[in-house]
Amino acid sequence: MSYAQKLDDVALLLDELEGLEPAVGSGAALEIALSQIEEDPGQPRRNFDKAALEELAASIRERGLLQPIGVTKKQESGKHRIVFGARRFRAASLAGLRTIKAMIQAGQPDDPYDQMVENIQRDDLSATEIAAFIEARLRAGEKQKDIARRLAKSKGFVAMHASIGQMPQVLRDKLSASPLRAVYELYQLWKRDAARVEEFCTQHESFTRPQAEAFIEAASAKPNQNDDAEPAEHIFRGEPPLPQPTKDETKHGAAGLPEGEFVPAAQRKSASEVIMRVHHEQRGGRLILGRVSKRGSHFGIVVFDDHGDEAQVLLAELALVEIRMREPL
């Protein structure tokens, strides 16, 4: 084969390789033109702080982009779609870059959880943005437990965010400056006492979780208990209440007691007790069934095994691990 023929073969090979996609998942960052990249219209992040973008753009001008973004292979539009790094992409555009370091991601490019998990790990999303994603997955027919598993979060995390859409505006307005858990606990009280919670929100631009808990405990306190109310232990054990003593209608009844005295009720045998074992934040304990939490019906009282301390915990955050019976002595 002549030298000229070898050159022709090399040129033909280069023509065939031109335009081919680089190896997916090779680990090497590529320089891709910004004009060849598009943002994902379904990305969970909706709000980008303008000042923060300008600061990042200034840093990119000074030091360059330190971490590549992630993109898919070219879509039908002929462009790569961002999997993660939309904020860096926008800042690079502000910085005047024409290309950006990017890594082509393997796997399913349309998996809605890719960007969500990446943003949650970076703590880049607001509570309302996470809530919008979870609501979309619920509308798609997914279960809360499956969403929690795919996000690598607790069921309580998903339940709290899923409730944001049902919260009144006065509580949703507090999410930008107050912890979600505190707002969620106030929402449980709002269902029973809306006026009081709304007054609290009017008086506080923002609040911490201890502040919210103190208010909830004070608002839920019931100094005048109804003596005729059925004891909580009977409600949980499914047993009828003990018979109440009755007054003797005659001066000397069959019991031989003077008028106005009470006839003692017959002694009953102790019933078997239900034991409910639970886990909360890697701690084991027992859910107390005979007492009602002062913080509302969405809370339970747990006695933890390690130190024997009691805590009032959101039921949505508890994992039930065992139900058994303890027989009476």
Side-chain angles (χ1 to χ4, degrees):
M1 182 182 293
S2 68
Y3 181 72
Q5 286 177 320
K6 289 181 179 179
L7 288 178
D8 289 341
D9 289 342
V10 171
L12 179 61
L13 178 60
L14 291 175
D15 287 341
E16 291 175 350
L17 292 174
E18 184 177 359
L20 289 181
E21 293 286 353
V24 174
S26 62
L30 309 170
E31 286 287 341
I32 300 179
L34 268 67
S35 61
Q36 294 299 307
I37 299 174
E38 63 182 9
E39 293 193 37
D40 183 357
Q43 70 162 316
R45 184 166 188 163
R46 297 295 185 217
N47 301 311
F48 293 83
D49 184 85
K50 187 175 180 180
L53 281 177
E54 291 288 356
E55 289 179 2
L56 182 55
S59 173
I60 291 173
R61 292 189 197 99
E62 181 70 23
R63 303 182 61 191
L65 185 67
L66 300 182
Q67 186 174 8
I69 66 171
V71 298
T72 68
K73 293 188 295 184
K74 283 186 178 179
Q75 304 292 293
E76 293 180 0
S77 63
K79 294 185 177 183
H80 301 275
R81 179 167 292 178
I82 295 175
V83 176
F84 58 83
R87 190 169 68 95
R88 278 166 280 159
F89 173 77
R90 292 192 179 197
S93 180
L94 285 174
L97 299 188
R98 300 185 64 183
T99 63
I100 189 171
K101 293 178 182 178
M103 297 180 65
I104 295 180
Q105 300 297 298
Q108 300 177 355
D110 295 328
D111 188 341
Y113 284 87
D114 286 344
Q115 290 189 64
M116 194 66 199
V117 171
E118 197 265 348
N119 278 293
I120 288 178
Q121 289 176 350
R122 292 176 178 275
D123 198 21
D124 274 350
L125 296 177
S126 67
T128 52
E129 288 171 329
I130 297 174
F133 175 85
I134 290 175
E135 288 175 3
R137 303 322 307 159
L138 291 171
R139 287 196 300 270
E142 296 184 28
K143 304 294 185 184
Q144 286 195 15
K145 64 177 182 179
D146 297 323
I147 297 172
R149 175 180 54 80
R150 296 196 64 184
L151 292 178
K153 289 291 185 179
S154 68
K155 289 185 290 185
F157 175 90
V158 173
M160 282 192 293
H161 285 87
S163 71
I164 290 177
Q166 285 74 52
M167 290 182 183
Q169 189 63 47
V170 68
L171 284 174
R172 290 203 299 269
D173 289 343
K174 301 302 178 183
L175 289 170
S176 61
S178 305
L180 171 59
R181 189 181 298 270
V183 176
Y184 177 77
E185 293 178 3
L186 283 173
Y187 174 54
Q188 306 309 318
L189 177 62
W190 178 88
K191 294 176 183 178
R192 309 188 310 272
D193 194 344
R196 199 163 184 178
V197 170
E198 290 171 8
E199 181 183 1
F200 174 83
C201 291
T202 301
Q203 296 172 351
H204 297 79
E205 282 293 324
S206 64
F207 43 81
T208 63
R209 189 181 177 192
Q211 287 174 327
E213 288 177 342
F215 167 74
I216 292 169
E217 187 168 355
S220 303
K222 297 179 180 179
N224 297 321
Q225 295 291 338
N226 184 0
D227 294 334
D228 296 328
E230 185 175 334
E233 59 181 315
H234 301 304
I235 298 174
F236 283 101
R237 292 186 185 179
E239 302 172 9
L242 290 172
Q244 299 298 312
T246 57
K247 288 186 178 181
D248 191 352
E249 295 182 356
T250 61
K251 188 173 182 180
H252 293 283
L257 298 176
E259 185 177 5
E261 294 292 327
F262 289 99
V263 178
Q267 185 70 29
R268 290 199 316 164
K269 294 182 179 179
S270 299
S272 299
E273 182 181 358
V274 176
I275 304 296
M276 298 187 71
R277 301 284 307 163
V278 295
H279 274 173
H280 178 258
E281 297 180 351
Q282 319 236 333
R283 300 176 70 192
R286 181 167 63 94
L287 181 64
I288 303 298
L289 300 181
R291 291 161 56 196
V292 178
S293 171
K294 294 180 179 179
R295 300 179 64 185
S297 60
H298 289 77
F299 292 82
I301 301 173
V302 178
V303 177
F304 289 104
D305 299 333
D306 46 9
H307 301 299
D309 57 313
E310 288 189 2
Q312 300 185 55
V313 181
L314 278 168
L315 295 176
E317 297 179 356
L318 294 178
L320 179 62
V321 296
E322 182 186 17
I323 301 178
R324 59 186 174 84
M325 303 292 291
R326 183 170 66 190
E327 295 300 327
L329 299 176

